[in-house]
Coordinates of all heavy atoms in Angstrom, one line a residue:
R1 N 151.6 206.8 -77.5 CA 152.1 206.3 -76.2 C 150.9 205.9 -75.3 O 150.0 206.7 -75.0 CB 152.9 207.5 -75.5 CG 154.1 207.8 -76.2 CD 154.9 208.8 -75.5 NE 156.1 209.2 -76.3 CZ 157.4 208.9 -75.9 NH1 157.5 208.3 -74.6 NH2 158.4 209.2 -76.5
V2 N 151.0 204.6 -74.9 CA 149.9 204.1 -74.0 C 150.1 204.5 -72.6 O 151.2 204.2 -72.1 CB 149.9 202.6 -74.1 CG1 148.8 202.0 -73.3 CG2 149.6 202.1 -75.6
P3 N 149.2 205.3 -72.0 CA 149.3 205.7 -70.6 C 149.4 204.5 -69.7 O 148.9 203.4 -70.0 CB 148.0 206.5 -70.4 CG 147.6 206.8 -71.7 CD 147.9 205.8 -72.7
W4 N 150.1 204.6 -68.6 CA 150.2 203.5 -67.6 C 148.9 202.9 -67.2 O 148.8 201.7 -67.2 CB 151.0 204.0 -66.4 CG 151.1 203.0 -65.3 CD1 150.6 203.0 -64.1 CD2 151.8 201.7 -65.4 NE1 150.7 201.9 -63.4 CE2 151.5 201.1 -64.1 CE3 152.5 201.0 -66.4 CZ2 152.0 199.8 -63.9 CZ3 152.9 199.7 -66.1 CH2 152.7 199.2 -64.9
A5 N 147.9 203.8 -66.9 CA 146.6 203.2 -66.4 C 146.0 202.4 -67.5 O 145.4 201.3 -67.2 CB 145.7 204.3 -66.0
D6 N 146.1 202.8 -68.8 CA 145.5 202.1 -69.9 C 146.2 200.7 -70.1 O 145.7 199.7 -70.3 CB 145.5 202.9 -71.2 CG 144.7 204.0 -71.2 OD1 143.9 204.2 -70.2 OD2 144.7 204.9 -72.1
F7 N 147.6 200.8 -70.0 CA 148.4 199.5 -70.1 C 148.0 198.5 -69.0 O 147.7 197.4 -69.3 CB 149.9 199.8 -70.0 CG 150.8 198.6 -69.9 CD1 151.2 198.0 -71.0 CD2 151.1 198.1 -68.7 CE1 152.0 196.9 -71.0 CE2 151.9 196.9 -68.6 CZ 152.3 196.3 -69.7
R8 N 148.0 199.0 -67.8 CA 147.7 198.2 -66.6 C 146.3 197.5 -66.8 O 146.1 196.3 -66.6 CB 147.7 199.0 -65.4 CG 147.6 198.1 -64.1 CD 147.6 199.0 -62.9 NE 146.5 199.9 -62.9 CZ 146.6 201.1 -62.2 NH1 147.7 201.5 -61.7 NH2 145.5 201.9 -62.3
T9 N 145.3 198.3 -67.2 CA 143.9 197.8 -67.3 C 143.9 196.8 -68.5 O 143.3 195.7 -68.3 CB 142.9 199.0 -67.6 OG1 143.0 199.9 -66.5 CG2 141.5 198.5 -67.9
A10 N 144.5 197.1 -69.6 CA 144.4 196.2 -70.8 C 145.2 194.9 -70.4 O 144.7 193.8 -70.8 CB 145.1 196.9 -72.0
F11 N 146.3 195.0 -69.7 CA 147.0 193.8 -69.4 C 146.2 192.9 -68.5 O 146.2 191.7 -68.6 CB 148.4 194.2 -68.8 CG 149.2 193.0 -68.5 CD1 150.1 192.5 -69.5 CD2 149.2 192.3 -67.2 CE1 150.9 191.4 -69.2 CE2 150.0 191.2 -67.0 CZ 150.9 190.7 -67.9
R12 N 145.7 193.5 -67.5 CA 144.9 192.7 -66.5 C 143.7 192.0 -67.2 O 143.4 190.9 -66.9 CB 144.4 193.6 -65.3 CG 145.5 193.9 -64.4 CD 145.0 194.7 -63.3 NE 146.1 194.9 -62.3 CZ 146.0 195.8 -61.2 NH1 144.9 196.4 -61.0 NH2 147.1 195.9 -60.4
V13 N 143.0 192.8 -68.0 CA 141.8 192.2 -68.7 C 142.2 191.0 -69.6 O 141.5 190.0 -69.6 CB 141.1 193.3 -69.6 CG1 140.2 192.7 -70.5 CG2 140.4 194.3 -68.7
H14 N 143.3 191.1 -70.1 CA 143.7 190.0 -71.1 C 144.4 188.8 -70.4 O 144.3 187.7 -70.9 CB 144.7 190.6 -72.2 CG 144.8 189.6 -73.3 ND1 145.9 188.7 -73.3 CD2 144.1 189.4 -74.5 CE1 145.8 188.0 -74.5 NE2 144.8 188.4 -75.1
H15 N 145.2 189.1 -69.3 CA 146.1 188.1 -68.8 C 145.7 187.6 -67.4 O 146.2 186.6 -67.0 CB 147.5 188.5 -68.7 CG 148.1 188.7 -70.1 ND1 148.5 187.7 -70.8 CD2 148.3 189.9 -70.8 CE1 149.0 188.1 -72.0 NE2 148.9 189.4 -72.0
I16 N 144.8 188.2 -66.7 CA 144.5 187.9 -65.4 C 143.0 187.4 -65.3 O 142.1 188.3 -65.6 CB 144.8 188.9 -64.3 CG1 146.3 189.2 -64.4 CG2 144.4 188.5 -62.9 CD1 146.7 190.4 -63.5
L17 N 142.7 186.2 -64.9 CA 141.3 185.7 -64.9 C 140.5 186.4 -63.9 O 141.1 187.0 -62.9 CB 141.3 184.2 -64.6 CG 142.1 183.3 -65.6 CD1 142.1 181.9 -65.1 CD2 141.4 183.3 -66.9
D18 N 139.2 186.6 -64.2 CA 138.4 187.2 -63.2 C 138.4 186.6 -61.9 O 138.5 185.4 -61.7 CB 136.9 187.1 -63.7 CG 136.6 187.9 -64.9 OD1 137.4 188.9 -65.2 OD2 135.6 187.6 -65.7
G19 N 138.5 187.5 -60.8 CA 138.5 186.9 -59.5 C 139.9 186.6 -58.9 O 140.1 186.5 -57.7
V20 N 140.9 186.6 -59.7 CA 142.3 186.2 -59.2 C 142.8 187.4 -58.4 O 143.4 187.1 -57.3 CB 143.3 185.9 -60.4 CG1 144.7 185.8 -60.0 CG2 142.9 184.7 -61.1
I21 N 142.7 188.6 -58.8 CA 143.2 189.7 -58.0 C 142.5 189.7 -56.6 O 143.1 189.9 -55.5 CB 143.0 191.1 -58.7 CG1 144.0 191.1 -59.9 CG2 143.3 192.2 -57.7 CD1 143.8 192.3 -60.7
E22 N 141.2 189.5 -56.6 CA 140.4 189.5 -55.3 C 140.9 188.3 -54.4 O 141.1 188.4 -53.2 CB 139.0 189.4 -55.5 CG 138.4 190.6 -56.1 CD 138.4 190.7 -57.6 OE1 138.9 189.8 -58.2 OE2 138.2 191.8 -58.2
M23 N 141.1 187.1 -55.1 CA 141.6 186.0 -54.3 C 143.0 186.2 -53.8 O 143.3 185.9 -52.6 CB 141.7 184.7 -55.3 CG 142.2 183.5 -54.6 SD 142.3 182.1 -55.8 CE 143.7 182.6 -56.7
K24 N 143.9 186.8 -54.5 CA 145.3 187.1 -54.0 C 145.2 188.1 -52.9 O 146.0 188.1 -52.0 CB 146.1 187.6 -55.2 CG 146.5 186.5 -56.2 CD 147.2 185.4 -55.5 CE 147.6 184.3 -56.5 NZ 148.3 183.2 -55.8
L25 N 144.4 189.1 -53.1 CA 144.2 190.2 -52.0 C 143.7 189.5 -50.7 O 144.2 189.8 -49.6 CB 143.2 191.3 -52.4 CG 142.9 192.3 -51.4 CD1 144.1 193.0 -50.9 CD2 141.9 193.3 -51.8
E26 N 142.8 188.6 -50.8 CA 142.3 187.9 -49.6 C 143.4 187.0 -49.0 O 143.6 187.1 -47.8 CB 141.1 187.0 -50.0 CG 140.5 186.3 -48.8 CD 139.3 185.5 -49.2 OE1 138.5 185.9 -50.1 OE2 139.1 184.4 -48.7
Q27 N 144.2 186.3 -49.8 CA 145.4 185.6 -49.3 C 146.3 186.5 -48.6 O 146.8 186.2 -47.5 CB 146.0 184.8 -50.4 CG 145.2 183.7 -50.9 CD 146.0 183.1 -52.1 OE1 146.9 183.6 -52.7 NE2 145.4 181.9 -52.6
F28 N 146.6 187.6 -49.2 CA 147.6 188.6 -48.6 C 147.1 189.1 -47.3 O 147.8 189.3 -46.4 CB 147.8 189.8 -49.7 CG 148.7 190.8 -49.1 CD1 150.0 190.6 -49.0 CD2 148.1 192.0 -48.6 CE1 150.9 191.6 -48.6 CE2 149.1 193.0 -48.1 CZ 150.4 192.8 -48.1
L29 N 145.8 189.5 -47.2 CA 145.3 190.0 -46.0 C 145.3 189.0 -44.9 O 145.3 189.3 -43.7 CB 143.9 190.6 -46.2 CG 143.8 191.8 -47.1 CD1 142.4 192.2 -47.4 CD2 144.6 193.0 -46.5
K30 N 145.3 187.7 -45.2 CA 145.3 186.7 -44.2 C 146.7 186.2 -43.8 O 146.8 185.3 -42.9 CB 144.5 185.4 -44.7 CG 143.0 185.7 -44.8 CD 142.3 184.4 -45.3 CE 140.8 184.7 -45.4 NZ 140.1 183.5 -45.9

């Protein structure tokens, strides 16, 4: 059973380009 934290990390590493989360956070804060 893959723990949630491991799933989330593996998914983000494979499917979300570097910097996208930071860019979206910046957009959200603005």
Side-chain angles (χ1 to χ4, degrees):
R1 293 184 180 244
V2 178
W4 173 246
D6 293 352
F7 172 87
R8 187 180 63 210
T9 299
F11 185 86
R12 286 182 177 174
V13 165
H14 193 270
H15 291 285
I16 301 175
L17 299 173
D18 292 339
V20 170
I21 292 177
E22 291 83 9
M23 180 183 69
K24 291 297 182 181
L25 176 61
E26 186 176 321
Q27 289 176 349
F28 176 77
L29 293 174
K30 289 181 180 178

